[in-house]
Amino acid sequence: MTDAHSGVPLRVVSYNVHGQRDDVAALATVVRQLAPDVLIVQEGPRRFGWRAKSATLAASFGLVVAAGGLPALGNLLLVSLRVRVTGVRHQRFPLTPGRHLRGAAYADCVVGGPARFTVAGSHLATDPVERPDQAKLFKRELDVAPLPVIAAADLNEEPGGPAWHTVAHGLTDAAVAADRADRLTYSCADPRRRIDGVFVDPRITVVDYDVLDTPLSRRASDHFPIVVDLLLPVAD
C-alpha cells in the first residue's frame, strides 16, 4: 500500500541469530511468521563459505541477501522481493589486539515506488573500552547516509550507556516511541537487559514495536527478535 499522506509501510526485524548455533528450524519459523520486509541480522555467516551460507539462511526465511556477510563481519541485511536495493557498503572497525573484529553493513533501498531509505546494521563489542569508539564510527556513517536511516544493532549495553547514547543521538529509539522500552531483548534463558536497539530517522513514523518472546523464539537464539512496523515518508 502506498499513500502520500500516511506513508509507505515497512516491517523491520532486528535479530542476533547467535551464529545459528541453536534450533535453526525454530529460527526459520520465527522469521517467516514475522514476515519482515527487511531483516537486520547480527552474528550471521562470516567465515569459510559465507556467501553460500548467507544465501541459504536468507532462503530459509523467504528473503534474499542485500549486503553483509564477511565484508561486514557477520552483519547481514536481508530483504523481501518488495524491497529494491540500489547501493551497498560495508565497514570494519579497527581491530583491538586479542578482541573480535567488528563491523557494519549499509544498504540504500526503495520500497513502494516513492519511498527511499538507508538500512544499517552492526554488532558492537562486549568490551566497554572499545565499544564507544565503534559506536562513533557507526554513527559517522549513519549521519552521512543520503536517505532517511533505519539502524539496528546489538549494542552490548543498555540505554544510557555511552555507545547507546552515541548511536541514538538525533534518531528515534523505536522502543521509546512505542512506549515499549520495558521489552527486554537478552537473554532468552534469563531476560534481564535491553541491549538490542532499532533507531530511525525522525521523519519515519514508528507504528508498532515489540520483542517476540515465545517458546519458539526461546529455542531459536539467545536474543529475542525485535519487530518494528514503520511508515516511511514518500519522496518528492
Side-chain angles (χ1 to χ4, degrees):
M1 178 181 69
T2 301
D3 187 312
H5 298 288
S6 63
V8 176
L10 188 80
R11 171 163 283 195
V12 176
V13 171
S14 179
Y15 207 169
N16 183 322
V17 300
H18 199 209
Q20 298 173 262
R21 295 193 291 272
D22 302 293
D23 186 332
V24 294
L27 179 66
T29 300
V30 166
V31 174
R32 282 183 174 270
Q33 288 178 345
L34 291 175
D37 296 303
V38 175
L39 176 63
I40 303 168
V41 173
Q42 300 90 36
E43 292 196 35
R46 58 178 287 175
R47 294 184 174 87
F48 180 77
W50 65 271
R51 287 186 180 87
K53 292 175 182 176
S54 297
T56 299
L57 180 65
S60 75
F61 299 151
L63 303 171
V64 297
V65 177
L70 178 61
L73 301 166
N75 295 289
L76 268 178
L77 304 178
L78 310 180
V79 297
S80 72
L81 295 181
R82 182 171 172 255
V83 177
R84 180 166 61 91
V85 178
T86 61
V88 302
R89 49 203 177 277
H90 302 103
Q91 181 181 27
R92 292 190 175 192
F93 306 137
L95 176 62
T96 301
R99 303 291 183 181
H100 292 296
L101 194 58
R102 306 277 182 169
Y106 308 83
D108 299 329
C109 303
V110 181
V111 65
R116 299 175 181 272
F117 63 97
T118 294
V119 61
S122 188
H123 185 185
L124 304 186
T126 57
D127 183 347
V129 175
E130 65 177 343
R131 190 165 56 235
D133 287 338
Q134 293 176 353
K136 290 175 184 176
L137 292 171
F138 183 46
K139 180 63 169 178
R140 185 181 303 167
E141 293 299 314
L142 299 180
D143 286 344
V144 299
L147 303 168
V149 165
I150 301 166
D154 174 354
L155 293 103
N156 269 312
E157 72 178 32
E158 295 176 84
W164 189 290
H165 181 268
T166 294
V167 175
H169 181 70
L171 299 175
T172 299
D173 182 332
V176 174
D179 196 24
R180 289 181 175 171
D182 59 337
R183 303 294 203 269
L184 306 178
T185 66
Y186 182 82
S187 72
C188 290
D190 185 18
R192 291 176 179 266
R193 308 172 68 198
R194 182 165 81 98
I195 63 172
D196 305 272
V198 176
F199 311 93
V200 301
D201 186 290
R203 292 170 288 180
I204 297 173
T205 302
V206 177
V207 177
D208 198 13
Y209 170 102
D210 208 353
V211 175
L212 185 68
D213 180 354
T214 66
L216 201 63
S217 68
R218 285 180 178 246
R219 299 207 311 266
S221 178
D222 63 340
H223 288 244
F224 295 116
I226 299 171
V227 55
V228 187
D229 288 309
L230 304 171
L231 282 178
L232 305 182
V234 176
D236 295 332

